[in-house]
Amino acid sequence: MKKLALSAVLMAVAAPALAHTGHGDTSGFVAGMSHPVFGPDHLLAMLAVGLWSGFALPHRFWLGAATFMAAMAAGAAISWAGIGYPMVEQVILTSVVVFGLLVVVSKPGQAQSLTLASLAMIGVFASAHGHAHASEATGNAFGYLAGFLIATAGLHLAGIGLARVVANGRAARIMQRGLGLGIAGSGLLMMAG
């Protein structure tokens, strides 16, 4: 029941995507650490990747987070190389919905092809997150990226931890689906503005 309440709270606080509108400081380590936590689209996407990893890959839970972080860094490199990413904001918001739905349908022992397809989607969407953040970084951009990667890892770990607690509890599938639907619903609300 607590997990369903958390999903309801996350849906209630959903707002239009604010992670890339130039709000706040975008230079240095501390700005990079705080940015994912205060941008609801990133917060929910990163928690969802952790949840998916914890539910779908209980023995290789690190794989989703590692894929996300590597692709996010690659997206940052693409941005710093001067290559654009069309509709990056829409891709980021779509990632919240898709990642939430991955949480809903994930289960241990799912087919390897489904796991690989999920990891590929995580990588594509993560590149958009990295591109957007690198595009807005100013000043100490590498410190900003380092802080962003550390905060991202922390959010992934929080999702993995929550998934492992939920997966071992009573009414596990109901709570898992509630968390996933709450994240996907929040993404839809952010899309609606």
Side-chain angles (χ1 to χ4, degrees), residues 34-72:
S34 64
H35 215 72
V37 176
F38 295 111
D41 49 353
H42 294 285
L43 174 72
L44 292 172
M46 293 170 198
L47 282 173
V49 169
L51 287 166
W52 175 82
S53 296
F55 287 127
L57 305 169
H59 302 294
R60 294 177 293 148
F61 58 84
W62 53 270
L63 199 52
T67 299
F68 190 100
M69 290 175 42
M72 189 173 70

Side-chain angles (χ1 to χ4, degrees), residues 100-127:
L101 294 175
L102 284 177
V103 171
V104 171
V105 301
S106 65
K107 59 184 174 186
Q110 65 188 20
Q112 184 175 2
S113 59
L114 180 58
T115 298
L116 293 175
S118 298
L119 288 170
M121 281 191 290
I122 287 169
V124 168
F125 286 124
S127 70

Side-chain angles (χ1 to χ4, degrees), residues 86-106:
M87 299 177 52
V88 70
E89 290 299 324
Q90 291 80 5
V91 173
I92 288 170
L93 290 175
T94 302
S95 77
V96 177
V97 177
V98 170
F99 292 164
L101 294 175
L102 284 177
V103 171
V104 171
V105 301
S106 65

Side-chain angles (χ1 to χ4, degrees), residues 4 6-17 40-41 44-45 48 51 92-104 176-193:
L4 293 175
L6 174 63
S7 296
V9 169
L10 290 175
M11 286 181 19
V13 300
D41 49 353
L44 292 172
L51 287 166
I92 288 170
L93 290 175
T94 302
S95 77
V96 177
V97 177
V98 170
F99 292 164
L101 294 175
L102 284 177
V103 171
V104 171
Q176 176 185 340
R177 288 181 180 145
L179 287 166
L181 289 172
I183 291 170
S186 294
L188 291 172
L189 288 173
M190 286 187 278
M191 286 178 163

Side-chain angles (χ1 to χ4, degrees), residues 16-42:
L18 299 175
H20 313 289
T21 58
H23 78 285
D25 190 15
T26 57
S27 175
F29 182 78
V30 173
M33 285 283 291
S34 64
H35 215 72
V37 176
F38 295 111
D41 49 353
H42 294 285

